[in-house]
Amino acid sequence: MALLETHGLTKSFGALTAVNAVTLRVEAGAVHSVIGPNGAGKTTLFNLLTGAFPPSSGQLFFDGKDITGTPSHRVAHLGLARSFQRTNVFPALSLLDNVWIAAFARNVSRRGLTWRRAQHYPETTERARSALADVGLAEKANHLAREISHGEQRQLELAIALAAAPRVLLLDEPAAGLSPDETRKMVALVRALRGRYTVVLIEHKMDIIMNVSDRISVMHFGSLIAEGTPAEIQRNPDVRRAYLGGAAA
Amino acid sequence: MRALVLILAAICVLPLIVRPAIAAEIWIFAIFGLGLNLLLGYTGLLSFGQSTFFGSAAYVAGYLLKHHAIGLPLALGVGIGIGALSALLVGYLCVQRSGLYFIMLTFALNQLFYFVAYQWTSVTGGEDGMPGIPRPAILGIGLTEPLHYYLLVSALFLLALGLMKRIVESPLGKILQAIRENEVRADAVGYNVPRFKLAAFVIGGAFSGAAGVLYAMLFGIVPLEAIGFVFSGNVVFATLIGGSGSLYGPIIGSFVFIWLSESMSVVWARWPLLLGVAFVIVVLFFRGGVVEAWSRLWRFSKRTA
Ligand SMILES: Nc1ncnc2c1ncn2[C@@H]1O[C@H](COP(=O)(O)OP(=O)(O)OP(=O)(O)O)[C@@H](O)[C@H]1O
Ligand SMILES: [Mg+2]
């Protein structure tokens, strides 16, 4: 049984079909990458998977349950956490608060919501701190998010997703806009997530993809045109034509 | 801690400098500002309709005080309840919109309440206001003595401040700030953003309601202005001058605002001009209001010392 599954998922914006009848199965524990040229519909697919907006048609299953049309804040409670392609943090809050907010959201009980001091949630704070430590930002816990470098903000972006202790982690180009050095760090981070989480990864950089993926789905003009292991994808002539040959060359 | 000491000192000193009625008005207005600032400073929602909750509470509790001789605790409870309830209603209609539409809607609904109060003369007295609101004694202590009432108001203000401090330091306070910073991410990590905004409205409304009842008992009347847009604007104004980024900003703002308006209006009819100037200075140089100006001065003096 796949942990995350879609059947004919479609999203149209007016005349544009950004995601076209996508049927996808993400196995528990796998690192499943989604690649495709700019504008292929990858981010839109993530928006559908997380309930940011409802699909025009098709269905979405998480852990065997139909969650089509569930709003994003509820999807988050089920254990789907995402990071964003464009850094999307809480600028004027400390790094610790950034991840604390995400960690607290997953608590089943919200006891003391309006009353108890935030420090008096040791488990939540612990989870928040360890998410920061996972991405190497533990020392900067008290800095404000807007004060750290772009590379560090990308790491924070990932930490916010991790703090939710998710069952599925959706990463949208975690290495976007990073220097070669920072990219290497990020690749190491994503590699370290293998086995701990089920990961769906969007990425442009081929070396990262080939390096960390168990399976790869290729999107082109909103549709899936191929799926397979990294080796199979590299050999696939359609993929070469649509992606490797054209846009990425 | 230092803030608390300063506030306690101010509570003691204030009635020696200004009339007790004005001193009480400052703390009442500060409670009103605390409620607004949960929306404005913490949640990032500019409500231009706070007098809806203030005025509704003042009218309802005032009416019951006047015609049914209810006790003071009940009057306060009713005021807080009406403030919260009207905020629930207004908030429910407003939290789905954003930006200018949100602000305009809070304003428009405020106007709606205002016109109801204006027209419903048999109850509210319309333009003449609702006079004859008594100050019932509490625990056998009469409150007609201005200083007694001042002490009650001060105590309730401290209670309100302590409550608000707990709220903004609680998870709810953090979540509201997260919503202010980035609604999309707050939603993505699992918070029902409109629901939390509504919570901020209701809590803010409860504080406004408490302030409204205290105001009605202070002056013995609910003037029509208590539910008017000028009043809504004043509390925004005062809070911005004091500094919306801090828990204490609205308190300082209330100080500056009431003190200026009471002391200057007798000597100079055009005193609002001063407020205008203060506001321009805040907008241009000190976005964080007096609180920020002060902390910058503090840092500057430490560096030069
Ligand atoms: N909210 C929206 N409204 C209208 N059109 C949209 C919206 N979101 C995305 N699109 C369009 O859908 C198409 C797919 O966009 P999407 O962002 O999903 O691509 P992508 O594969 O993530 O591209 P990139 O690699 O550049 O991030 C694009 O043509 C885009 O302009
Ligand atoms: Mg994208």
Side-chain angles (χ1 to χ4, degrees):
Chain A
M1 184 75 217
L3 187 53
L4 189 62
E5 206 172 332
T6 72
H7 287 312
L9 211 57
T10 299
K11 181 73 192 181
S12 309
F13 298 111
L16 173 81
T17 303
V19 171
N20 192 1
V22 167
T23 297
L24 189 73
R25 293 168 55 88
V26 177
E27 299 295 334
V31 174
H32 193 132
S33 293
V34 178
I35 63 172
N38 287 110
K42 306 179 297 292
T43 298
T44 306
L45 176 64
F46 264 25
N47 285 334
L48 295 176
L49 294 178
T50 55
F53 32 66
S56 306
S57 63
Q59 284 165 301
L60 175 61
F61 296 89
F62 179 64
D63 207 5
K65 276 196 299 282
D66 188 343
I67 60 163
T68 317
T70 307
S72 53
H73 63 89
R74 292 248 292 281
V75 171
H77 288 284
L78 299 174
L80 266 89
R82 77 181 292 189
S83 76
F84 288 79
Q85 181 173 358
R86 265 189 252 135
T87 302
N88 202 358
V89 298
F90 305 111
L93 302 190
S94 71
L95 301 199
L96 182 60
D97 280 351
N98 265 268
V99 284
W100 197 93
I101 287 289
F104 185 80
R106 269 309 293 287
N107 290 353
V108 182
S109 149
R110 298 226 172 134
R111 267 182 50 204
L113 175 71
T114 62
W115 185 248
R116 211 190 290 179
R117 289 228 162 74
Q119 303 93 285
H120 295 169
Y121 290 87
E123 257 172 78
T124 306
T125 308
E126 184 48 44
R127 193 141 37 88
R129 284 196 184 279
S130 78
L132 276 185
D134 277 348
V135 302
L137 286 176
E139 266 99 78
K140 299 215 164 176
N142 295 323
H143 287 58
L144 299 187
R146 62 162 181 247
E147 289 170 345
I148 59 177
S149 72
H150 173 74
E152 288 168 334
Q153 286 187 351
R154 296 303 298 164
Q155 287 162 257
L156 177 61
E157 183 66 44
L158 178 59
I160 293 174
L162 290 176
R167 299 178 62 195
V168 177
L169 198 52
L170 303 158
L171 306 179
D172 196 347
E173 300 196 30
L178 293 186
S179 69
D181 211 38
E182 291 168 331
T183 302
R184 260 191 301 280
K185 247 205 256 171
M186 187 56 80
V187 174
L189 275 178
V190 174
R191 268 178 162 289
L193 301 176
R194 283 186 71 137
R196 290 169 61 194
Y197 300 96
T198 304
V199 179
V200 185
L201 174 68
I202 294 177
E203 194 43 78
H204 268 309
K205 294 175 177 140
M206 271 305 143
D207 46 334
I208 301 184
I209 291 291
M210 295 304 165
N211 225 309
V212 302
S213 312
D214 296 308
R215 289 197 82 72
I216 299 176
S217 293
V218 185
M219 268 185 106
H220 191 44
F221 289 124
S223 305
L224 283 188
I225 57 166
E227 204 206 295
T229 62
E232 286 165 0
I233 292 299
Q234 259 171 329
R235 283 197 302 269
N236 187 312
D238 285 344
V239 176
R240 297 182 90 95
R241 216 171 306 122
Y243 190 68
L244 300 174
Chain B
M1 200 59 219
R2 209 183 43 184
L4 187 64
V5 171
L6 274 174
I7 288 167
L8 283 173
I11 287 176
C12 297
V13 174
L14 206 55
L16 305 175
I17 311 173
V18 296
R19 282 187 291 123
I22 296 175
E25 195 184 352
I26 287 177
W27 300 121
I28 291 171
F29 206 67
I31 297 174
F32 193 24
L34 284 174
L36 167 76
N37 207 32
L38 188 67
L39 283 166
L40 180 62
Y42 286 91
T43 321
L45 294 173
L46 175 50
S47 163
F48 247 112
Q50 291 300 102
S51 76
T52 303
F53 324 134
F54 185 95
S56 302
Y59 276 122
V60 175
Y63 185 87
L64 293 175
L65 278 165
K66 186 177 169 181
H67 297 287
H68 297 279
I70 61 172
L72 196 136
L74 184 58
L76 270 173
V78 166
I80 290 168
I82 292 293
L85 195 69
S86 53
L88 182 70
L89 199 74
V90 168
Y92 179 77
L93 295 171
C94 294
V95 293
Q96 306 287 349
R97 346 253 140 198
S98 58
L100 206 53
Y101 293 102
F102 172 88
I103 300 172
M104 289 313 291
L105 198 55
T106 59
F107 176 76
L109 290 168
N110 194 177
Q111 288 298 85
L112 194 75
F113 276 78
Y114 175 84
F115 279 109
V116 170
Y118 179 76
Q119 296 288 346
W120 200 1
T121 45
S122 60
V123 176
T124 64
E127 266 183 302
D128 299 332
M130 182 197 275
I133 289 160
R135 267 183 226 164
I138 185 163
L139 306 173
I141 305 165
L143 294 174
T144 40
E145 179 64 40
L147 208 55
H148 290 176
Y149 191 62
Y150 174 77
L151 288 176
L152 173 81
V153 166
S154 304
L156 288 173
F157 162 75
L158 284 174
L159 189 68
L161 178 62
L163 261 172
M164 189 52 87
K165 191 165 179 337
R166 283 306 284 253
I167 290 169
V168 301
E169 287 172 357
S170 74
L172 179 68
K174 274 195 204 292
I175 294 164
L176 295 180
Q177 291 176 68
I179 288 171
R180 176 195 70 204
E181 289 299 303
N182 188 342
E183 272 187 38
V184 172
R185 192 60 186 254
D187 173 74
V189 300
Y191 296 109
N192 187 343
V193 171
R195 180 95 52 90
F196 279 97
K197 286 182 175 175
L198 193 55
F201 253 102
V202 171
I203 295 170
F207 277 70
S208 307
V213 182
L214 291 174
Y215 185 87
M217 288 192 291
L218 174 64
F219 294 113
I221 182 171
V222 184
L224 185 59
E225 294 87 70
I227 201 165
F229 74 90
V230 174
F231 231 79
S232 298
N234 285 350
V235 70
V236 171
F237 214 57
T239 300
L240 287 176
I241 287 177
S244 61
S246 145
L247 177 64
Y248 304 103
I251 303 168
I252 296 167
S254 167
F255 233 71
V256 173
F257 187 85
I258 302 291
W259 178 73
L260 266 185
S261 63
E262 295 293 341
S263 62
M264 295 310 288
S265 60
V266 283
V267 289
W268 191 32
R270 303 236 158 76
W271 70 272
L273 210 64
L274 275 185
L275 279 180
V277 171
F279 193 63
V280 168
I281 292 174
V282 163
V283 170
L284 287 182
F285 305 109
F286 300 104
R287 279 297 176 82
V290 175
V291 170
E292 190 200 325
W294 176 258
S295 68
R296 271 205 242 164
L297 195 73
W298 178 256
R299 260 177 286 153
F300 181 75
S301 66
K302 268 212 295 207
R303 224 180 306 138
T304 46

